[in-house]
């Protein structure tokens, strides 16, 4: 994970990040505001992110020991996040865990639905809001780092998804195989995934999709790939998959809509944004590869 330089002694105190809102997870807020913390508070933030949310559910003393700092520093860190007490901070973590573990039955509407027209408008508005939010989350610096991972043609890029998110992984892979000579989609059931892990080399990239309720087998594959030296790009929801602690870059996607099921539209939008950026970065090389592919397709009478 990236580190940040020390704050000069005469520099003004960092501006505290905004208090938690339901639209963003506490984990996302901490990640986005690492540079606003003092050095000691940053150690607390990194300890929390390294084992999220378990570290924050410990006592103040145990959390301080884990972070290599003092109990007052823990309390200052919690205050900067907008919480009045450590108990309020832990209550927010418990609530977040509850939301992360919700399945479709938990979210199933308990009351009568609005008229079909209103329902379509409400869901369409939610789609639009989610797409806008994922676009804002992809800051230029983050996007440049993601592009660097995906444009490294000296290493293989693997794509992995879960039961539903496999569709997004496959979609991303189909685009990237037109642009990159070494891309592989992890297919089949998890029983066959060891075959793919066998080929993961140091410096390779694993693009992983993992949304609530997070899959243990996807986490285990990511953990094994990271142990073999793979760099991980995680595309997840705003509550963050446990894979985030292993990832080099994380793209959080809002998934909530007025439905029992979460939406994959923001994840799809993230893929399209990243693919467009990769094409721009590769420039003529991508164009030549795509042109060669078109020539090959003509002999098979295949369209795009």
């Amino acid at each position: 994970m990236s580190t940040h330089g020390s704050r000069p002694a005469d520099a003004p105190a960092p501006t505290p990040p905004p208090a938690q809102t339901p639209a963003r997870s506490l984990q996302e807020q901490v990640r986005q505001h690492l540079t606003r913390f003092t050095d000691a508070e940053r150690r607390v933030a990194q300890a929390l992110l390294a084992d999220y949310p378990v570290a924050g559910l410990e006592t103040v003393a145990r959390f301080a020991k884990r972070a290599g700092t003092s109990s007052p520093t823990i309390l200052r860190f919690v205050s900067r996040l907008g919480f009045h007490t450590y108990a309020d901070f832990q209550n927010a973590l418990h609530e977040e865990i509850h939301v992360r573990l919700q399945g479709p039955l938990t979210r199933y509407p308990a009351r009568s639905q609005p008229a079909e027209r209103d329902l379509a408008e409400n869901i369409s508005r939610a789609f639009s809001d989610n797409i806008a939010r994922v676009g804002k989350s992809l800051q230029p610096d983050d996007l440049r780092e993601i592009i660097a991972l995906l444009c490294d043609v000296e290493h293989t890029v693997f794509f992995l998804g879960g039961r539903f998110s496999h569709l997004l992984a496959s979609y991303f892979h189909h685009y990237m195989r037109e642009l990159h000579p070494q891309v592989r989609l992890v297919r089949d059931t998890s029983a066959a995934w060891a075959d793919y892990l066998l080929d993961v080399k140091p410096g390779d990239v694993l693009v992983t999709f993992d949304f609530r309720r997070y899959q243990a087998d996807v986490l285990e594959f990511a953990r094994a790939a990271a142990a073999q030296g793979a760099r991980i790009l995680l595309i997840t929801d705003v509550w963050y998959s446990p894979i985030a602690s292993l990832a080099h870059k994380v793209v959080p996607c809002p998934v909530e809509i007025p439905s029992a099921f979460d939406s994959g539209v923001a994840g799809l939008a993230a893929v399209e944004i990243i693919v467009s950026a990769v094409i721009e970065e590769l420039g003529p090389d991508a164009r030549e590869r795509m042109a060669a592919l078109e020539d090959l397709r003509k002999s098979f009478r295949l369209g795009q």
Side-chain angles (χ1 to χ4, degrees), residues 3 28 54 56 66 110 152-153 183 194 203 239 272 301:
T3 57
E28 184 181 3
V54 173
R66 177 193 287 264
D152 179 3
V153 296
V183 296
W239 301 282
E272 302 240 353
R301 296 187 175 88

Side-chain angles (χ1 to χ4, degrees), residues 3 21 49 56 71-72 124 142 147 252 267:
T3 57
T21 65
L49 295 175
S71 294
S124 296
D142 293 328
I147 293 168

Side-chain angles (χ1 to χ4, degrees), residues 186-205:
V186 179
R187 304 176 185 270
D188 308 315
T189 63
S190 56
W193 286 359
D195 299 353
Y196 296 92
L197 279 172
L198 182 65
D199 297 328
V200 174
K201 302 294 189 296
D204 286 347
V205 178

Side-chain angles (χ1 to χ4, degrees), residues 105-122:
L105 285 176
T106 307
R107 299 190 298 273
Y108 202 86
R111 51 188 172 80
S112 59
Q113 290 295 300
E116 289 183 5
R117 180 173 179 177
D118 292 338
L119 178 63
E121 289 179 355
N122 290 343

